Amino acid sequence: MDSPTSRRGGAANRREALARRGNVQRSVLQNELPAYSILDDERSDRVLELAFTILETVGIEFRHPEAPGRWRSVGADVEGARVRIKRDLLLKLIETVPSEITLNARNPERTITLCGPRTAFSGSYGAPHVLDFDNVRKSSTLEHLQNFTKLAHQAKTIQINGGVLAEPQDVDVRLRHLHLVGEPLLLSDKPYMGAVTSRTAANDTVRLSQLVFGEEFVDTNTVVGSLINCNTPLVWDEAMINALEIYSRANQAVICTPFIMGGASSPVSTVGACAMIIAEALTGMAYSQIIRKGAPAIFGCVAQTISMKSGAPLQGSPEPVLMNLIVGQIVRKLGLVWRASGLWSTAKVPDMQAGYESIMSTWGYMLGQANWIIHAAGMVEGGLAISYSKFVQDVEQIDILYEIFKQPRFDDLDEVLETLIKVGPGGHFLGEAHTRKNAFYIPELSDANSYEQWRDEGRRDAHQVGLDRARKQLDEYQAPWIDDGLKDSITDFMARRSREILSGDFEQ
């Protein structure tokens, strides 16, 4: 069955093309550099062996009424909520996890495929606060969520919209999931993320997806990815299992993600933390296959350490870079799609600390060829806040990563030599034909002008430049084309479900 977007006529397609004009979108980053393997085969095997040993001896808890019984039915050793899983059983279950996952978008031109050396990016996730345009930290609102959804739609290096870009705290907590999914569907036409906080949230995400794409299309194609977090150490809780089951039954992607905070939720050991990440993520992915064989599942990795002085999380520190390199090497060996976390910082404002922590955090997952980077734009305060300025600055930093992870050109070397011969010793290349038709990358948001020009133009620092760009983009935002009937169906569904949920008379 075709999706609704594939059945539109010529006039509708022309309107859509006009709506998208000027919104240049980069496809997923095709990493052309070799993946970096930090370990030799013997040490790589030891990490995986430790993960298997954890699951066989310590086990992992599935705190859910039905999940332990489902594990028992496939041969796991179950005692209460504690599940111990032999490596052969685990490996057999993850054999059916797809090694390539396509996220279909409302606009087919935005559809992306995650696999191998391909990397897609999405914005921050989970921020209850916003560093607003007046530079004041505020509680996130629905308007903030809508603004960041618009910025993510316009961002040429963000392929996946939605998630908890900004937690709308002015919306009843029981209704927030409707906006977290509905706003990206109405304000963008990129792939989006689902809600996971309850059965209701997950079921409503699936229903909204079916409204957009059709029930049959959703059952046979992936249209939404949802973040299923493990309660590290070694616990899958009922709420996350409920969401995992709903999405897996519906053939929608679950991102099974441990949240390692080395020294707090894992031992003070880089290798030990990696083994826990592997054990937790693989059990979530394996459970998805018990629910529906072949359901799309993504290996999640969030790697942090904590300060042994204060207990505060650290970002941009060396050990998480190594963790991502190790995990990436193991995941590539297993042939799975994997997710990491992006340009994040514990800085409270988008200052120098935010810049160096964010860029330092990229190297492990980029060299390890992660497929989906969440938290890739805007995050400050360790994820407790999202910044307009940092969002647009991070989008440009991702654009630079696109250029870094290309193979250098070799197709113009004859012309290079001819130009060198022409210019000769002591000359310059500014006026040469080869120079005029080629250029090195020029960041749009960085200031390379003279001190005097910078002074005369207002002495703007990077934070102010970012705020100005974010304001400009919001002013210039144009909603992508959406069929009027579909738009009404989405808004009517959100309104009806809100009434039902608030009245207490509704289906889970």
Side-chain angles (χ1 to χ4, degrees):
M1 178 179 177
D2 292 336
S3 72
T5 52
S6 67
R7 298 196 299 267
R8 292 196 291 269
N13 286 332
R14 286 192 294 275
R15 288 194 300 272
E16 184 176 2
L18 286 170
R20 293 199 307 272
R21 184 171 293 170
N23 185 11
V24 178
Q25 174 73 45
R26 299 197 77 159
S27 185
V28 294
L29 186 152
Q30 185 71 39
N31 193 331
E32 298 178 1
L33 303 188
Y36 186 73
S37 294
I38 188 173
L39 305 176
D40 59 25
D41 288 342
E42 186 269 335
R43 291 188 175 187
S44 173
D45 289 343
R46 285 181 65 185
V47 177
L48 198 51
E49 179 71 19
L50 179 56
F52 291 143
T53 302
I54 290 169
L55 293 176
E56 291 174 348
T57 57
V58 181
I60 186 166
E61 293 195 358
F62 278 72
R63 297 179 181 175
H64 183 273
E66 288 86 30
R70 293 194 178 100
W71 275 110
R72 183 181 287 111
S73 71
V74 296
D77 178 14
V78 178
E79 182 181 352
R82 186 77 63 93
V83 179
R84 293 179 174 85
I85 309 162
K86 297 291 185 183
R87 67 198 71 194
D88 289 346
L89 172 60
L90 189 66
L91 291 172
K92 180 181 178 182
L93 286 169
I94 66 170
E95 280 180 359
T96 55
V97 174
S99 59
E100 179 178 301
I101 296 173
T102 296
L103 287 174
N104 290 273
R106 181 166 68 79
N107 172 5
E109 294 178 14
R110 308 283 203 191
T111 294
I112 61 171
T113 298
L114 305 175
C115 63
R118 297 183 177 192
T119 303
F121 299 87
S122 57
S124 187
Y125 191 103
H129 299 97
V130 167
L131 189 60
D132 215 339
F133 284 110
D134 57 6
N135 218 28
V136 175
R137 179 182 183 268
K138 301 174 182 176
S139 293
S140 303
T141 66
L142 180 58
E143 181 182 4
H144 292 130
L145 172 64
Q146 292 167 338
N147 282 345
F148 281 104
T149 303
K150 293 174 182 178
L151 289 175
H153 176 70
Q154 292 169 292
K156 66 178 180 179
T157 59
I158 297 293
Q159 291 80 28
I160 302 166
N161 209 332
V164 191
L165 284 168
E167 181 88 28
Q169 296 189 60
D170 56 341
V171 175
D172 189 304
V173 67
R174 295 168 292 175
L175 309 180
R176 288 178 190 171
H177 68 279
L178 294 168
H179 292 279
L180 293 172
V181 179
E183 303 301 336
L185 286 171
L186 294 168
L187 300 174
S188 183
D189 58 2
K190 296 182 180 183
Y192 56 98
M193 298 187 70
V196 298
T197 50
S198 66
R199 284 184 182 273
T200 299
N203 275 321
D204 282 346
T205 301
V206 172
R207 291 167 183 164
L208 277 166
S209 301
Q210 291 169 340
L211 277 178
V212 175
F213 294 93
E215 291 186 24
E216 185 178 338
F217 188 88
V218 169
D219 187 60
T220 55
N221 297 272
T222 303
V223 302
V224 62
S226 301
L227 186 54
I228 310 294
N229 280 322
C230 185
N231 190 357
T232 305
L234 300 171
V235 173
W236 286 102
D237 66 34
E238 184 171 352
M240 291 294 101
I241 295 171
N242 284 338
L244 184 153
E245 289 184 357
I246 289 165
Y247 286 120
S248 294
R249 285 196 188 98
N251 195 39
Q252 300 310 302
V254 290
I255 312 164
C256 300
T257 304
F259 200 108
I260 290 290
M261 297 182 68
S265 62
S266 81
V268 183
S269 162
T270 297
V271 172
C274 289
M276 283 189 58
I277 291 170
I278 294 164
E280 293 179 346
L282 289 184
T283 52
M285 299 176 80
Y287 187 70
S288 76
Q289 303 307 292
I290 296 174
I291 299 300
R292 177 169 173 167
K293 187 177 292 187
I298 295 171
F299 186 111
C301 175
V302 175
Q304 290 185 350
T305 55
I306 65 162
S307 167
M308 304 311 287
K309 294 180 179 180
S310 65
L314 300 173
Q315 290 160 356
S317 53
E319 292 84 2
V321 176
L322 298 175
M323 290 178 197
N324 275 303
L325 286 169
I326 293 169
V327 168
Q329 184 173 343
I330 301 296
V331 175
R332 292 195 306 274
K333 183 177 182 179
L334 295 173
L336 302 171
V337 175
W338 74 290
R339 165 259 164 149
S341 285
L343 290 89
W344 56 0
S345 171
T346 55
K348 311 310 176 283
V349 296
D351 58 7
M352 187 180 214
Q353 178 186 341
Y356 66 66
E357 285 183 349
S358 294
I359 290 302
M360 188 60 69
S361 72
T362 66
W363 294 112
Y365 61 74
M366 289 304 300
L367 292 170
Q369 296 186 346
N371 302 114
W372 182 347
I373 311 303
I374 299 177
H375 301 128
M379 200 161 90
V380 292
E381 203 183 332
L384 293 177
I386 184 170
S387 157
Y388 285 105
S389 175
K390 190 170 186 294
F391 189 96
V392 297
Q393 295 280 5
D394 286 343
V395 165
E396 182 166 272
Q397 293 305 304
I398 298 168
D399 202 43
I400 293 171
L401 291 176
Y402 272 77
E403 304 307 313
I404 292 172
F405 285 88
K406 284 181 179 178
Q407 286 286 347
R409 285 185 63 185
F410 280 81
D411 60 350
D412 64 342
L413 293 186
D414 289 342
E415 190 175 1
V416 167
L417 183 56
E418 290 173 6
T419 305
L420 276 163
I421 292 170
K422 178 181 177 183
V423 170
H428 68 77
F429 297 84
L430 293 175
E432 298 302 317
H434 182 266
T435 303
R436 291 196 302 272
K437 67 182 181 182
N438 295 283
F440 293 120
Y441 185 94
I442 303 173
E444 293 182 20
L445 300 180
S446 297
D447 190 315
N449 296 321
S450 69
Y451 172 84
E452 290 77 15
Q453 185 173 349
W454 169 78
R455 177 197 61 202
D456 294 344
E457 291 177 353
R459 296 174 175 264
R460 296 187 307 159
D461 60 16
H463 180 36
Q464 188 60 55
V465 169
L467 287 176
D468 291 346
R469 174 58 64 90
R471 286 192 192 93
K472 183 174 185 289
Q473 289 184 351
L474 288 175
D475 288 342
E476 293 176 348
Y477 167 80
Q478 289 185 324
W481 185 89
I482 184 170
D483 179 84
D484 289 339
L486 176 58
K487 182 177 181 179
D488 290 343
S489 294
I490 293 171
T491 54
D492 289 349
F493 178 89
M494 293 170 66
R496 175 175 61 82
R497 291 296 289 152
S498 294
R499 292 192 299 271
E500 293 170 348
I501 291 169
L502 291 177
S503 71
D505 182 18
F506 68 98
E507 296 179 37
Q508 289 283 334

